[in-house]
Amino acid sequence: MPKDGGIGASTKRREDVRFLTGNGRYTDDINLRGQAHAYFLRSQVAHGKINGIDTAAAEAMDGVIRVFTAKDFEGVGGMPCGWQITDKHGQPMQEPKHPILAEGKVRHVGDPVAVVIAETLEQARDAAEAIELDIEDLPAVVDMKAALAEGAPKVHDDLTSNLCYDWGFVEENKAAVEDAFAKAAHVTTLELVNQRLVANPMEPRVAVGDYDPWNDNSTLYTTSQNPHVIRLLMGAFVLGIPEHKLRVVAPDVGGGFGTKIFHYAEEAFCTFAARQLKRPVKWTSSRSEAFISDAHGRDHVTKIQLALDDANNFTAIRTETYANMGAYLSTFAPSVPTWLHGTLMAGNYRTPLIYVNVKAVFTNTVPVDAYRGAGRPEATFQLERVIDKAARELGVDPVELRRQNFIKADQFPYATPVAVEYDTGNYDATMDKMLEISDYAGFAARAEESKKRGKLRGFGIAHYIEACGIAPSNLVGQLGARAGLYESATVRVNATGSISIYTGSHSHGQGHETTFAQVVAEMIGIDAGQVEINHGDTANTPMGMGTYGSRSLAVGGSALVKATNKVINKAKKIAAHLLEASEADIELADGKFTVAGTDKSVDWAGVTLAAYVPHNYPLESMEPGLEETAFYDPSNFTYPSGAYGCEVEVDPETGEVEILAFTAADDFGNVVNPMIVEGQVHGGIAQGIGQALLERCVYDEDGQLVSGSYMDYAMPRADDLPNYTVDHSCVTPCTHNPLGVKGCGEAGAIGSPPAVINAVIDALQRGGHSHVTHIDMPASPSRVWAAMNAQ
Amino acid sequence: MYNFDFVKPASVEDAVAALGGDEAQPLSGGMTLLPSMKQRLNAPATLVSLTGIDALKGVCRDGDMLVIGAATPHAVVARDAAADYPALAELAGQIGDPMVRNRGTIGGSLANNDPSACYPSAALASGATIVTDKREIAADDFFQGMFATALDEGEIITSVRFPIPQKAAYAKFAQPASRFALTGAFVAQYANGVRVAITGASENGVFRWSEAEAALSSNFSADALAGLAASADQMIGDLHGTPEYRAHLVGVMTRRAVAAAH
């Protein structure tokens, strides 16, 4: 087995050759013959009543093919929501209609009102300016607490209020939690904001709808993380197109970060319009449009309380969170502040009693949904911040307070009070590793040195856990998911021994084309170059659920292992026939089938050729060919964990925070490609630092987006970021998937924000600003300076 | 972007003539104009490019002056002004990113007078002369508030004459998203006194901080500024900083510029 290509090898990403040379094939690179262009006219007000839309002038303009408004969608379904939450009273959440184009009212800046289809994009845009909109301004609700106040303007007139749901978890524990707080020796309280973010993948969203009237076949090319999910949702719930007449292709996709999971109105529109016009229809989002039409992330306002006994053991946690849904329910929005958040509130700790309350609120803002980490960063940030604050209040070492309350290595599997069972972990090991490689012991001396230069140095610690590898379908079904969360793979062995893999996972930067090939190459013992990974096209991949939630290797990889094992089992039967031996005696190693204890062997290609040229083949008992499909439904989530350390210097004159060092010690279970894993961690930390120090999506009180471009929305740049020290040598393999892998895609974005903020607070505290116990993200220079100077 | 006519004259005279046309606008580097046209916020009938006029380009020494052609990109200033006026070269080298520095020009920046742009502070602190196709305008008279200048309709800047100071420096605190100056201070020491110009901070655009100038003229050291605070009145307040924060940064950046002056 060539060790540069199997499991554990840092094989260079094969897909980078086309990406880095500008030869990727993204959705916007797809231009079909006869294609027309769509321009979406979007609301410029946050809330308004549509009194009229006059499209006559626009329709008469050069190149205009047709103008669509809501009236063209009578009888067409709205955008579906994929997860129903049951509130604390046992009632289903309020679920408003989400039309493809605004009906009756506009509910956020960016809500699409009309679409012009024209021969060119410029013509479509010119015509859109000629549409006369009569929209009567209504008062907007932006602040969540104001939206829930008596008499607040309603985002949806047909709902009873702006409350989507009021969720309690675990409701049965509420009284016991209250009791624990009453008896606590110490209670630490922290109020915080986990601010709204814009995902900003490098590639904006694009949709190209195509229709073949002679076969009644529709095709949608789209920037999606999960083409099968889009096909199911759009076909079954929006447009009424059966799956066999609908193909969804997500080719090369330039980053998703969650925001390309969801089914968007533009996808349904382009598919619908192509059928109406019998010609392809293309829409490409501008960057400005992305700010007001891509689902946003986070946007939680939380009060968390931690109760401790007199020996500093955590005895209970209770939280109250307001979660912004925006104006409509995006595909998986209701699940993010609930099941992806509440179930993680135990963190790495033995806290016996936890109660999480979440009020999800409609506002006149862009819908909010999953963004890298989705609920888990929000949980981790609260927990790791409140623990740090408690340590400070109690005068104990934040490392020791964490250690004292860690679930210990010998306590796994560990059932938390918030409904999940961690299979493996060793939190002391990751903490030790982080402290070692960050030279925590030498921090005091470095802080002294900073002080001499007039700077305030701080060290921040966070230990995270996340639930990845989503998810057991029967469990999520009970929790309200309207989908299964298995994954699929087809392993098609070709006659001469090369292998074509068709996976339901989708790669939009993760490197599956490399790592999935490494897994198969290792299992069979052939060169990884013989294995090709295909993904992203519902026409050739088995029904799969796509890529998000750090699930690809843990779930998609497991399906791949299952299918590959089926192939190997059949290949062994063929080899046994060719070698005239018993199947039980056949061993596969290094791409060769050998009869145990003999030198009789046949190589991989010999077996595959026999499968497709079955001249010498047991046709009476076995079909020819060598191709297998497997579906894998996980029995549990996976639980990556890790310790993050951040060392900062604060300039007391300006409040500017510089990150000097960032250390991550992660336990991802087994690792297939260390280089790719490290790259995932780097990217995650960059996004986490972006949230902690830079990014902030801001609406004014009228619902106008203030940070609507890169002039005001601060994305992290390379020089905002330090060199990272990352380690994944602490390994407790997952016990319930065949590769023992846990997932690494979101970890960096989950663990880093609290580490950064803890470091900033530590620096200020050491610098004598003892009144500063919290700074909301982003800890921008102005906010840090204001905190230092507030008395 | 709406359709427009594009002309690229080779002389200042031809450019001025072309700008006499209906809804004609001058185009230099286009770093502000083109994005606003792409967003359809600006719709000139004719764009008159100034970058084909050789007379508007280049950096040259003229006695105790450094003369910079209006259509000279920032990257060229960063390179060619380094020997004669290093503080100005350093300012130019910090504007935007390499693409901006190779397209954007000094004349374009001054004519636009963005309240957060860097160049206006250098021109004002240097007591520069803005030379146009029809007159010479002192920097003190040129900047007239946010995006407002003394330029007439159709008047184009041809060059900027910077008196070379004994010592100078620019200290910029970057707005985290745009990296324009959240507050920038340009300090220049001349035989007859010190001039301090502040950009990024005020609702009235670039301004001279006269209290600091007086203090520094008698003692050119950061210590001379101790206890001196700019007023938060009429400072910009936005999501990147309050008026109070910007007023505070005026002091910090001015002290840093003095300390760095060379």
Side-chain angles (χ1 to χ4, degrees):
Chain A
M1 172 69 223
K3 275 302 159 200
D4 59 344
I7 290 176
S10 283
T11 309
K12 283 187 182 168
R13 290 168 28 124
R14 56 172 70 170
E15 46 270 73
D16 283 349
V17 176
R18 68 177 191 276
F19 293 155
L20 299 180
T21 55
N23 289 295
R25 186 171 184 259
Y26 296 92
T27 308
D28 192 50
D29 294 322
I30 295 170
N31 291 297
L32 303 176
R33 195 164 61 176
Q35 168 180 289
H37 295 267
Y39 181 82
F40 283 74
L41 180 65
R42 298 177 184 278
S43 176
Q44 298 188 1
V45 300
H47 197 191
K49 180 165 174 285
I50 302 173
N51 288 327
I53 306 174
D54 185 349
T55 60
E59 277 163 313
M61 286 176 68
D62 278 355
V64 174
I65 299 162
R66 192 162 156 192
V67 180
F68 288 85
T69 62
K71 67 178 166 40
D72 297 299
F73 289 88
E74 279 166 16
V76 175
M79 306 307 296
C81 180
W83 203 302
Q84 178 179 286
I85 294 300
T86 301
D87 76 5
K88 66 183 185 184
H89 307 296
Q91 297 302 307
M93 67 186 187
Q94 295 207 80
E95 191 172 350
K97 186 176 181 195
H98 183 181
I100 292 175
L101 298 178
E103 273 175 22
K105 287 213 312 188
V106 290
R107 295 184 173 87
H108 66 86
V109 170
D111 206 359
V113 182
V115 188
V116 180
I117 311 284
E119 298 294 341
T120 71
L121 181 57
E122 287 298 307
Q123 288 171 331
R125 205 170 165 185
D126 287 343
E129 289 179 359
I131 294 175
E132 286 179 35
L133 290 183
D134 177 3
I135 294 181
E136 179 185 333
D137 276 11
L138 296 170
V141 283
V142 176
D143 178 79
M144 287 189 276
K145 289 176 186 172
L148 295 182
E150 195 75 32
K154 283 199 290 184
V155 178
H156 296 275
D157 299 335
D158 52 339
L159 302 187
T160 59
S161 70
N162 292 319
L163 182 68
C164 178
Y165 56 74
D166 185 355
W167 185 74
F169 180 68
V170 175
E171 198 62 29
E172 293 72 29
N173 288 348
K174 191 178 179 191
V177 168
E178 297 299 323
D179 191 43
F181 271 90
K183 291 178 182 152
H186 184 84
V187 174
T188 296
T189 301
L190 179 63
E191 294 188 45
L192 57 86
V193 174
N194 202 300
Q195 84 273 30
R196 180 183 285 242
L197 301 175
V198 182
N200 281 310
M202 194 180 289
E203 178 204 28
R205 289 190 298 116
V206 185
V208 185
D210 191 19
Y211 181 60
D212 169 5
W214 311 111
N215 293 299
D216 190 31
N217 284 339
S218 289
T219 301
L220 170 69
Y221 301 90
T222 182
T223 48
S224 176
Q225 301 177 214
N226 31 238
H228 278 285
V229 175
I230 304 305
R231 186 178 72 162
L232 179 64
L233 293 176
M234 183 173 77
F237 300 103
V238 187
L239 300 180
I241 306 172
E243 281 108 317
H244 69 296
K245 290 289 173 193
L246 178 58
R247 174 183 172 204
V248 176
V249 184
D252 285 336
V253 173
F257 312 115
T259 204
K260 290 178 183 166
I261 297 172
F262 323 121
H263 179 36
Y264 284 97
E266 294 87 354
E267 295 172 319
F269 177 84
C270 288
T271 309
F272 177 83
R275 290 173 71 92
Q276 296 278 308
L277 303 175
K278 296 188 172 49
R279 58 186 287 190
V281 173
K282 181 174 191 173
W283 167 76
T284 299
S285 174
S286 69
R287 183 62 68 183
S288 305
E289 205 173 7
F291 272 91
I292 55 171
S293 68
D294 288 4
H296 292 171
R298 313 283 192 258
D299 207 348
H300 287 192
V301 175
T302 294
K303 176 181 175 182
I304 180 169
Q305 293 184 293
L306 172 65
L308 302 95
D309 67 16
D310 56 9
N312 296 341
N313 297 306
F314 303 164
T315 58
I317 289 167
R318 69 181 166 204
T319 71
E320 184 180 13
T321 288
Y322 292 82
N324 207 334
M325 295 287 104
Y328 302 100
L329 289 179
S330 177
T331 312
F332 291 109
S335 67
V336 175
T338 50
W339 299 112
L340 294 176
H341 162 248
T343 51
L344 272 299
M345 284 310 302
N348 306 97
Y349 310 99
R350 296 188 311 270
T351 316
L353 288 163
I354 296 173
Y355 180 73
V356 176
N357 175 246
V358 178
K359 295 175 180 71
V361 186
F362 293 112
T363 60
N364 293 113
T365 61
V366 167
V368 180
D369 206 327
Y371 167 69
R372 203 168 191 169
R376 293 152 289 174
E378 294 90 323
T380 304
F381 187 74
Q382 294 165 47
L383 199 53
E384 292 300 302
R385 285 288 301 121
V386 82
I387 291 170
D388 239 52
K389 187 163 187 254
R392 225 167 270 292
E393 289 173 358
L394 295 165
V396 298
D397 181 350
V399 174
E400 290 314 311
L401 185 61
R402 286 180 171 84
R403 278 193 199 282
Q404 176 185 340
N405 287 281
F406 270 162
I407 299 160
K408 293 296 174 185
D410 59 4
Q411 292 178 307
F412 293 92
Y414 185 88
T416 74
V418 277
V420 288
E421 185 178 280
Y422 303 159
D423 57 344
T424 54
N426 186 344
Y427 310 143
D428 282 299
T430 40
M431 181 68 94
D432 287 343
K433 177 59 76 177
M434 183 277 288
L435 296 175
E436 176 204 326
I437 59 181
S438 64
D439 186 24
Y440 183 61
F443 172 74
R446 296 193 294 275
E448 268 310 302
E449 190 274 327
S450 295
K451 202 171 173 183
K452 285 181 193 149
R453 289 185 285 109
K455 299 289 177 69
L456 314 178
R457 201 176 186 113
F459 196 100
I461 291 159
H463 208 291
Y464 76 89
I465 186 155
E466 56 166 330
C468 299
I470 54 175
S473 294
N474 55 1
L475 173 63
V476 296
Q478 289 166 24
L479 302 182
R482 290 163 170 165
L485 285 167
Y486 51 82
E487 199 45 85
S488 64
T490 293
V491 177
R492 176 177 298 163
V493 182
N494 303 308
T496 59
S498 67
I499 301 176
S500 303
I501 304 289
Y502 298 88
T503 171
S505 296
H506 184 275
S507 185
H508 32 279
Q510 292 86 350
H512 298 164
E513 292 171 33
T514 303
T515 47
F516 281 23
Q518 286 178 255
V519 170
V520 175
E522 174 85 22
M523 290 178 70
I524 298 173
I526 55 174
D527 191 283
Q530 295 237 74
V531 185
E532 179 92 343
I533 307 298
N534 300 279
H535 61 88
D537 187 345
T538 61
N540 63 22
T541 56
M543 173 85 177
M545 300 309 291
T547 288
Y548 39 83
S550 308
R551 70 191 300 269
S552 292
L553 191 60
V555 190
S558 296
L560 183 59
V561 169
K562 264 182 87 174
T564 305
N565 275 328
K566 287 187 186 179
V567 161
I568 291 171
N569 288 340
K570 184 172 178 185
K572 280 184 175 174
K573 288 189 173 74
I574 300 169
H577 175 84
L578 295 175
L579 297 169
E580 297 175 335
S582 158
E583 183 194 337
D585 292 334
I586 301 294
E587 292 173 347
L588 171 62
D590 295 333
K592 192 187 280 187
F593 297 91
T594 306
V595 181
T598 75
D599 59 358
K600 284 173 65 182
S601 68
V602 56
D603 67 10
W604 170 251
V607 170
T608 62
L609 191 65
Y612 288 98
V613 188
H615 296 163
N616 176 14
Y617 195 90
L619 286 167
E620 65 288 351
S621 62
M622 201 159 58
E623 296 168 9
L626 196 51
E627 171 169 336
E628 300 287 352
T629 294
F631 287 76
Y632 176 83
D633 202 283
S635 61
N636 192 357
F637 295 85
T638 61
Y639 300 96
S641 60
Y644 283 16
C646 178
E647 197 160 326
V648 301
E649 224 171 47
V650 176
D651 181 339
E653 284 192 321
T654 63
E656 194 172 21
V657 176
E658 184 186 359
I659 298 182
L660 303 173
F662 200 101
T663 308
D666 292 294
D667 175 359
F668 293 134
N670 295 330
V671 165
V672 170
N673 184 317
M675 180 191 71
I676 288 179
V677 165
E678 287 161 19
Q680 288 285 312
V681 175
H682 283 205
I685 295 172
Q687 279 181 299
I689 290 173
Q691 174 166 24
L693 296 182
L694 294 160
E695 298 181 45
R696 181 183 173 205
C697 183
V698 182
Y699 282 95
D700 70 12
E701 60 191 16
D702 297 323
Q704 292 293 327
L705 183 59
V706 178
S707 54
S709 80
Y710 292 146
M711 289 298 280
D712 288 300
Y713 189 92
M715 290 293 284
R717 294 164 162 94
D719 64 354
D720 291 315
L721 304 167
N723 285 321
Y724 311 120
T725 306
V726 302
D727 178 279
H728 43 80
S729 66
C730 298
V731 174
T732 60
C734 172
T735 57
H736 55 79
N737 66 43
L739 291 166
V741 296
K742 296 184 175 182
C744 66
E746 297 160 298
I750 293 171
S752 55
V756 174
I757 299 299
N758 286 344
V760 173
I761 300 298
D762 187 55
L764 297 185
Q765 291 270 340
R766 287 169 189 275
H769 301 280
S770 56
H771 64 284
V772 184
T773 58
H774 180 66
I775 294 177
D776 273 324
M777 300 186 290
S780 61
S782 62
R783 279 185 170 175
V784 173
W785 178 81
M788 283 191 291
N789 291 285
Q791 289 300 337
Chain B
M1 199 177 276
Y2 299 104
N3 286 337
F4 56 89
D5 291 324
F6 181 78
V7 293
K8 194 169 184 179
S11 72
V12 172
E13 294 69 33
D14 289 350
V16 170
L19 283 168
D22 214 22
E23 292 187 43
Q25 280 191 40
L27 173 72
S28 193
M31 295 294 91
T32 301
L33 180 56
L34 294 182
S36 71
M37 286 172 65
K38 285 182 181 175
Q39 299 217 6
R40 299 190 161 204
L41 300 171
N42 203 328
T46 304
L47 276 188
V48 180
S49 171
L50 305 178
T51 55
I53 306 171
D54 288 341
L56 298 186
K57 290 185 196 169
V59 176
C60 71
R61 178 86 182 234
D62 178 10
D64 56 358
M65 293 276 178
L66 191 68
V67 183
I68 301 178
T72 310
H74 313 323
V76 173
V77 175
R79 187 187 69 209
D80 292 351
D84 294 306
Y85 196 164
L88 182 65
E90 285 155 17
L91 174 149
Q94 289 178 49
I95 298 172
D97 54 38
M99 286 180 282
V100 169
R101 290 195 287 275
N102 281 287
R103 294 293 307 175
T105 67
I106 187 169
S109 174
L110 295 177
N112 192 44
N113 194 19
D114 187 305
S116 301
C118 296
Y119 265 133
S121 69
L124 190 57
S126 304
T129 301
I130 288 85
V131 183
T132 76
D133 59 297
K134 41 186 192 190
R135 55 181 168 152
E136 296 191 350
I137 310 170
D140 283 317
D141 302 324
F142 182 82
F143 301 106
Q144 300 190 345
M146 264 193 196
F147 298 107
T149 69
L151 290 174
D152 294 333
E153 194 74 26
E155 183 176 11
I156 48 178
I157 303 175
T158 54
S159 67
V160 188
R161 299 170 63 83
F162 288 90
I164 295 173
Q166 295 164 343
K167 279 184 172 183
Y170 178 59
K172 166 179 167 180
F173 194 84
Q175 195 254 58
S178 69
R179 299 219 174 155
F180 275 63
L182 188 70
T183 295
F186 200 105
V187 173
Q189 184 182 31
Y190 292 92
N192 60 351
V194 174
R195 292 171 67 105
V196 177
I198 305 295
T199 188
S202 169
E203 290 179 342
N204 302 313
V206 67
F207 68 98
R208 285 174 67 184
W209 190 17
S210 46
E211 293 89 340
E213 291 183 351
L216 292 168
S217 292
S218 53
N219 173 16
F220 192 72
S221 80
D223 295 341
L225 298 168
L228 212 56
S231 164
D233 192 35
Q234 304 205 346
M235 291 288 173
I236 297 168
D238 60 18
L239 66 140
H240 306 289
T242 57
E244 291 72 25
Y245 182 59
R246 281 185 166 84
H248 168 75
L249 286 180
V250 168
V252 175
M253 291 299 120
T254 304
R255 284 199 299 278
R256 290 185 180 181
V258 171
H262 58 105

